[in-house]
């Protein structure tokens, strides 16, 4: 089986490089369902995410931005950053490994402010643990 090294990004976690089988089944297992490939960057990389992540209520993960820093989409659930070969997905090269690790490094939470969704980056392990604890303790009144 052909293996590739990709960047896996999970909600509320720091990204990590993993080696996976380059197969449909493996990609589906990584994103917990049917895959969708999107290509929002000029680089030879793609994002593999769950095709129905938002519809199925998966946790919001990371925002994608336009050239002006405005949110254009939010990926729900786990996703992978993969390299693009001629006919298939390939391992990320060194240049793209660093660039996309930095781009997606900080976990994000999302809030409504002035009728717009904003992403707040959690840049330290302490803030991440505190946020997880606060969300875990929250029980909505029903």
């Amino acid at each position: 089986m052909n293996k590739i090294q990709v960047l896996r990004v999970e909600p509320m976690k720091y990204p990590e490089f993993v080696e996976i089988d380059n197969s449909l089944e493996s990609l589906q297992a990584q994103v917990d369902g049917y895959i969708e490939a999107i290509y929002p960057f000029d680089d030879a990389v793609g994002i593999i995410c769950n095709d129905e992540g938002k519809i199925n209520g998966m946790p919001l993960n990371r925002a994608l931005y336009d050239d002006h820093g405005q949110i254009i989409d939010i990926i729900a659930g786990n996703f992978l950053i993969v390299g693009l070969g001629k006919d298939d997905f390939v391992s990320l090269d060194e240049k793209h490994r660093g660039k996309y690790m930095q781009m997606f490094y900080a976990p994000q939470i999302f809030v409504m402010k002035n009728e717009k969704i904003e992403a707040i980056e959690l840049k330290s392990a302490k803030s991440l643990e505190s946020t997880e604890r606060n969300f875990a303790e929250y029980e909505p009144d029903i």
Side-chain angles (χ1 to χ4, degrees), residues 2 4 22 27 35 37 39 46 48 82-85 87-91:
N2 185 21
I4 57 173
N22 193 8
L27 294 170
I35 66 168
Y39 309 98
I48 306 297
V82 300
L84 300 177
D87 298 317
D88 204 357
F89 301 123
V90 297
S91 293

Side-chain angles (χ1 to χ4, degrees), residues 9-110:
V9 185
E10 298 180 54
M12 298 306 290
K13 293 185 179 180
Y14 296 106
E16 63 181 339
F17 290 102
V18 295
E19 184 173 85
I20 63 170
D21 291 334
N22 193 8
S23 68
L24 176 60
E25 295 80 14
S26 179
L27 294 170
Q28 288 175 331
Q30 291 291 320
V31 301
D32 298 321
Y34 294 114
I35 66 168
E36 174 182 14
I38 57 175
Y39 309 98
F41 309 113
D42 292 333
D43 297 325
V45 300
I47 295 177
I48 306 297
C49 59
N50 187 302
D51 186 40
E52 298 178 334
K54 290 178 194 158
I55 295 168
N56 291 337
M58 292 180 142
L60 298 179
N61 190 341
R62 303 293 201 282
L64 299 176
Y65 300 90
D66 66 14
D67 293 338
H68 304 288
Q70 300 298 312
I71 294 175
I72 56 172
D73 200 358
I74 300 172
I75 301 173
N78 299 345
F79 67 91
L80 305 171
I81 304 292
V82 300
L84 300 177
K86 188 172 184 173
D87 298 317
D88 204 357
F89 301 123
V90 297
S91 293
L92 285 174
D93 61 27
E94 286 301 315
K95 174 184 171 187
H96 294 127
R97 287 171 63 98
K99 178 179 180 177
Y100 290 97
M101 171 61 88
Q102 182 178 3
M103 183 181 293
F104 293 109
Y105 184 72
Q108 295 178 320
I109 58 173
F110 300 90

Side-chain angles (χ1 to χ4, degrees), residues 129-141:
E129 290 170 7
S130 173
T131 301
E132 287 175 337
R133 186 173 46 255
N134 289 340
F135 281 130
E137 292 172 1
Y138 174 75
E139 293 183 27
D141 295 328

